[in-house]
């Protein structure tokens, strides 16, 4: 079932305080769009929804968002402690995730024809190669000017550029099984882990020592992961058209994130329940969810330090919390909300440019999210260390 991607083909080529008021909205927008780039499984042709409608899902989302915003406001006005506010934020995220999953499952699935494409697919290769080259060149230029002793940043930028260019450098069936494709995908979490170990290990260590921050980050990461796989169709409890009439467990090869992965599919009709899991899905979901959770844990640690120092008015920390939760909970619904609000004439160009699995710009937002959320952890290292820890943590070089 997971091979029947919504609106695309089976050749799926494309997924802190110091960041300030300019960088944070950019990070929010990029991860929001990144979460729309995972090809979705079979459409929700629901025949039974338990009496639920989209209005119920919207109400649940509003309750969750209200809880989240209310907790932040109460914290900023000193009506609750930062620790209490963190649990309120986490509860709001969980409720909003449930509502968003219901909305996506109950809303009609958009369908688009090739006639609605804003420009032909023949433009994709030059766009992909030019974008990939620009990312690599910009990475080396920025690193050379600002971090000349950290060439690892430039190498990471080159790796991110390969995410966009790979489908056009290794075309056809050979490209979906080429070792370089597997190396790009599997090497990405290794590269991110190496950067965090080199430049943020002290802050991460301090965060993990704080039980509240640790629980907040873990809960946020799990909520985002559940939301991610649910709205993209890899986990579903909605009955679908063509759903098997008996319990089915199969392993099928599926092109997902550059190359072909063995995908385990489990379908239980009596629940109903559908789950599809592959190494490629685990890499993308796990990495993005871990980065969101780690960013949330860093902000939680900062709030806890404010509480310990008798301060509870950190505006940048509040903005980071709201931004991280917003990007995790709203991103995959962008195209569908646009369709419902403005009609297919507006939503179709957005789909073909940013969501179509063959579009190189779809991978660009995954790349941008990895850049910004990895960078936000590295740039947050100063605010995550308590007075008893290393007060001036700096990168190793």
């Amino acid at each position: 079932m997971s091979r029947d991607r919504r609106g695309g083909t089976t050749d799926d080529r494309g997924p802190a305080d110091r960041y300030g008021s300019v960088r944070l909205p950019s990070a929010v927008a990029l991860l929001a769009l990144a979460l729309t780039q995972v090809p979705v499984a079979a459409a929700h042709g629901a025949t039974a929804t338990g009496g639920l409608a989209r209005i119920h899902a919207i109400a649940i989302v509003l309750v969750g968002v209200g809880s989240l915003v209310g907790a932040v406001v109460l914290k900023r006005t000193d009506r609750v402690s930062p620790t209490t506010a963190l649990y309120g934020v986490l509860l709001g995220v969980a409720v909003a995730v449930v509502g968003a999953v219901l909305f996506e499952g109950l809303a009609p699935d958009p369908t688009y024809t090739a006639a609605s494409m804003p420009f032909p697919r023949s433009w994709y290769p030059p766009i992909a190669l030019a974008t990939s080259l620009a990312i690599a060149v910009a990475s080396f230029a920025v690193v050379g000017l600002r971090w000349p002793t950290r060439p690892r940043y430039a190498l990471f930028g080159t790796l991110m550029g390969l995410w966009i260019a790979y489908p056009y450098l290794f075309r056809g069936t050979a490209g979906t099984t080429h070792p370089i494709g597997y190396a790009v995908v599997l090497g990405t979490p290794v590269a991110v882990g190496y950067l965090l170990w080199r430049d943020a290990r002290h802050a991460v260590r301090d965060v993990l020592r704080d039980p509240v921050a640790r629980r907040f980050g873990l809960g946020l990461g799990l909520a985002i992961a559940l939301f991610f796989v649910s709205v993209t169709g890899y986990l579903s409890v909605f009955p679908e058209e063509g759903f098997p009439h008996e319990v089915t467990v199969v392993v099928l090869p599926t092109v997902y994130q550059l190359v072909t992965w063995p995908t385990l599919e489990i379908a239980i009709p009596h629940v109903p329940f559908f789950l599809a899991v592959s190494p490629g899905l685990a890499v993308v979901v796990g990495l993005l969810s871990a980065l969101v959770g780690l960013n949330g844990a860093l902000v939680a640690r900062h709030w806890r330090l404010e509480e310990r120092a008798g301060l509870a008015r950190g505006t940048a920390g509040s903005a980071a919390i709201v931004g991280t939760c917003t990007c995790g909970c709203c991103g995959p619904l962008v195209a569908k909300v646009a369709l419902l609000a403005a009609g297919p004439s507006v939503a179709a160009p957005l789909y073909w440019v940013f969501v179509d699995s063959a579009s190189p710009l779809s991978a660009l937002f995954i790349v941008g999210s990895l850049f910004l959320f990895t960078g936000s952890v590295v740039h947050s290292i100063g605010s995550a260390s308590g007075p008893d820890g290393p007060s001036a943590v700096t990168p190793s070089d």
Side-chain angles (χ1 to χ4, degrees):
M1 294 179 62
S2 67
R3 293 179 299 175
D4 183 17
R5 306 298 184 212
R6 199 180 311 166
T9 65
T10 57
D11 187 11
D12 299 337
R13 295 175 173 171
D17 291 341
R18 295 185 181 179
Y19 251 49
S21 60
V22 176
R23 295 180 183 177
L24 178 63
S26 300
V28 171
L30 284 174
L31 184 58
L33 286 169
L35 293 179
T36 69
Q37 307 315 314
V38 180
V40 293
H44 299 302
T47 57
T49 59
L52 294 173
R54 292 198 303 271
I55 188 64
H56 301 119
I58 294 173
I60 294 174
V61 171
L62 293 177
V63 169
V65 173
S67 174
L68 187 157
V69 175
V72 173
V73 171
L74 290 175
K75 182 260 184 186
R76 290 188 58 191
T77 56
D78 299 336
R79 297 180 183 276
V80 298
S81 68
T83 299
T84 302
L86 286 170
Y87 287 119
V89 168
L90 188 57
L91 176 62
V93 171
V95 174
V97 163
V98 172
V101 170
L102 287 176
F103 178 84
E104 197 282 336
L106 296 170
D109 294 324
T111 56
Y112 308 103
T113 63
S116 63
M117 296 180 67
F119 50 81
R121 279 184 169 173
S122 60
W123 291 22
Y124 286 170
I127 291 176
L129 296 177
T131 303
S132 176
L133 181 61
I135 291 175
V137 172
S139 298
F140 277 93
V142 171
V143 170
L145 293 174
R146 187 168 182 181
W147 300 291
T149 60
R150 304 178 200 175
R152 54 187 176 276
Y153 292 174
L155 296 177
F156 180 69
T158 302
L159 176 64
M160 293 297 93
L162 279 175
W163 269 90
I164 300 174
Y166 177 85
Y168 304 95
L169 296 176
F170 301 87
R171 303 180 69 101
T173 306
T176 62
T177 57
H178 200 284
I180 292 181
Y182 291 99
V184 170
V185 176
L186 298 178
T188 297
V190 175
V192 171
Y194 176 73
L195 293 180
L196 297 182
W197 179 81
R198 284 295 301 269
D199 296 335
R201 62 181 181 271
H202 299 295
V204 172
R205 179 195 62 194
D206 289 342
V207 167
L208 295 180
R209 287 177 175 175
D210 187 325
V212 175
R214 184 173 63 245
R215 287 194 290 267
F216 180 83
L218 179 61
L220 183 62
L222 290 176
I224 296 303
L226 176 63
F227 171 76
F228 198 97
V229 297
S230 296
V231 299
T232 52
Y234 288 95
L235 174 65
S236 175
V237 293
F238 288 91
E240 302 175 347
E241 183 179 355
F243 202 87
H245 297 291
E246 58 184 15
V247 175
T248 303
V249 179
V250 295
V251 176
L252 300 171
T254 304
V255 177
Y256 175 80
Q257 298 303 333
L258 306 185
V259 289
T260 300
W261 303 94
T263 301
L264 173 65
E265 297 188 358
I266 303 174
I268 305 176
H270 306 295
V271 175
F273 174 84
F274 173 76
L275 174 66
V277 181
S278 72
L281 177 68
V283 167
V284 174
V285 173
L287 185 55
L288 289 177
S289 300
L291 288 174
V292 171
L294 187 54
N295 275 276
L298 285 166
V299 174
R301 173 63 174 166
H302 180 65
W303 280 21
R304 294 271 287 164
L305 294 177
E306 287 180 345
E307 180 179 23
R308 187 177 304 173
L311 302 173
R313 297 181 181 272
T315 56
S318 301
I321 284 272
V322 174
T324 299
C325 297
T326 300
C327 71
C329 294
C330 298
L333 306 179
V334 170
K336 185 165 290 188
V337 170
L339 174 68
L340 296 176
S345 61
V346 173
L350 294 176
Y351 171 84
W352 288 115
V353 174
F354 298 116
V355 184
D356 178 22
S357 60
S359 172
L361 296 181
S362 63
L364 178 62
F365 292 106
I366 292 181
V367 168
S369 299
L370 292 175
F371 269 130
L372 289 179
F373 279 86
T374 302
S376 68
V377 174
V378 174
H379 282 271
S380 300
I381 57 179
S383 63
S385 299
D388 300 328
S391 58
V393 180
T394 57
S396 57
D397 53 357

